Amino acid sequence: MGGDLVIKGTRIAIATIFHRMKDGHTLTEIHDMYRWVDMDTLKGAIDEAIDLRFHAHTQAHA
């Protein structure tokens, strides 16, 4: 996937999930789009991406 963060075991880019959220889709609607991805996995991937971004941001400004 060109180095993009993806949900483990899928080819779904985390950026795709965030773009869908930005476009106003709820997590339930996104889950309906990717039924094969467990809701807990979807939530965990979002949380991990936020944590990674926050960690990188705080390291850059330390």
Side-chain angles (χ1 to χ4, degrees):
M1 294 292 300
D4 291 337
L5 290 176
V6 297
I7 297 174
K8 186 176 181 178
T10 74
R11 294 182 55 82
I12 304 168
I14 297 295
T16 299
I17 302 302
F18 282 122
H19 284 291
R20 293 194 186 281
M21 293 173 83
K22 181 181 172 189
D23 289 342
H25 293 281
T26 66
L27 195 54
T28 300
E29 290 171 333
I30 295 168
H31 180 253
D32 287 343
M33 294 174 197
Y34 304 104
R35 282 260 190 244
W36 61 93
V37 180
D38 176 276
M39 181 65 94
D40 288 336
T41 301
L42 188 58
K43 288 178 183 178
I46 292 167
D47 288 343
E48 188 170 334
I50 290 168
D51 289 346
L52 285 170
R53 177 65 179 123
F54 179 74
H55 180 72
H57 179 76
T58 56
Q59 292 298 316
H61 291 93

